[in-house]
Amino acid sequence: MRVKEKEKMATKKLIGMTGDQAAAHAMRQIAPDVVAAYPITPQTEIVMSFSQFVADGKVATELIPVESEHSAMSACIGSAAAGARTMTATSANGLALMWEVVYIAASTRLPIVMSVVNRALSAPINIHCDHSDTMGARDSGWIQIYSENAQEVYENIISAVKIAEHKDIRLPVMVCQDGFITSHAVEGIELSDDKTIKDFIGEYKIDHSLLDIDNPVTYGPLDLQDFYFEHKYQQSFAMKNALSVIPKVLQEFNKTFGKNHDLIEEYKLKDADIGIVALSSTAGTARAVIDDLRKKGIKAGLLKPVFFRPFPAERILKAISHLKVVGVMDRAESFSTMGGPLFSEIRSAMYDSKQKPPIVNYIYGLGGRDIFPEDIEKVYEELESIKRAGKIKTLISYLGVRE
């Protein structure tokens, strides 16, 4: 943690809690009308903690314990279509079991907010962190926000409600955090007061409710060649809209809560020669490495995309195009032979850019394999070698794997 952050945090009232508990507290303060969910490690503690709030009468949410994650998302779709503010949570195979209805939720433009604790997809069975679950759902039509720490989990869930329900977006949102690394580690969290949060998110008002019998509507009808294409176009247009609307929502959030959220976050990048791009908790480790390298005279920097969907291509290119070499770190393997999901998106965006620094990919941390500071330092050393040599030897590397 940086010195200024330490001084700032020292003046705040902090409460020790895990990332899962932080998510549950945000949900309690949002007080959704309905939460339908099924337990799965390492997400279980979110709904378990939230269910305790319901049992203790601290929130009046209708909590629906269902028989599977497919049922959970199905219940959420019905709830949201009826006009209820709706939330849920899941991980890994649970998200995979939702697959059919995850797409339906986005295609019917329902502003469901789902906390996803990132966990590796089977097989083999693994309960630890990588991003294969949400990266697998990157084309489902959901907005995706990636959180570095528990404080960001808490704040991103609050802003996600406002984003999802905005009249020019109306798309569901996944708020992601790293399984066990963030979800089960205890941190000092600053909580906002209930009233400020309620005032910020406002009331959810649906334009067309399934319960409005005087103005009947249908959600998810059979839609063949006559209108399907147009509805997909509208959905795509909503995601494009989100790129311009989200910064306005975040600006309002920042003003209300005294924060500094954005589509992306840069760290010592403006004067850097070499830089890495990393999501979620890995960004925190990278900062410590950068500080050490800067003391040695190495101009290293970091770009942390916060939103992966919509993909903020222009902002990312503006941030990294001046670098001599870029290393993109993916905690997921796309099995495309073209690198990980984040790498392929950034490399594609770079195609029309006038400035094209060499860009290489590091796939790391699959199944919860630890990423240590020395691993990230190795990445920067390799980027320095590429800068000096002026050419790339290996486009895609597997960091920390036993060969």
Side-chain angles (χ1 to χ4, degrees), residues 102-121:
V102 160
Y103 276 76
I104 292 170
S107 299
T108 46
R109 307 288 298 280
L110 297 172
I112 300 162
V113 173
M114 176 164 62
S115 183
V116 182
V117 183
N118 286 121
R119 168 188 151 181
L121 283 170

Side-chain angles (χ1 to χ4, degrees), residues 29-70:
Q29 293 177 300
I30 291 163
D33 300 305
V34 173
V35 168
Y38 189 84
I40 181 171
T41 302
Q43 171 276 127
T44 302
E45 193 180 14
I46 295 177
V47 180
M48 181 183 74
S49 298
F50 185 77
S51 66
Q52 192 63 56
F53 292 139
V54 174
D56 293 343
K58 294 182 178 180
V59 64
T61 300
E62 182 70 29
L63 181 64
I64 307 174
V66 291
E67 67 274 16
S68 73
E69 287 87 357
H70 187 285

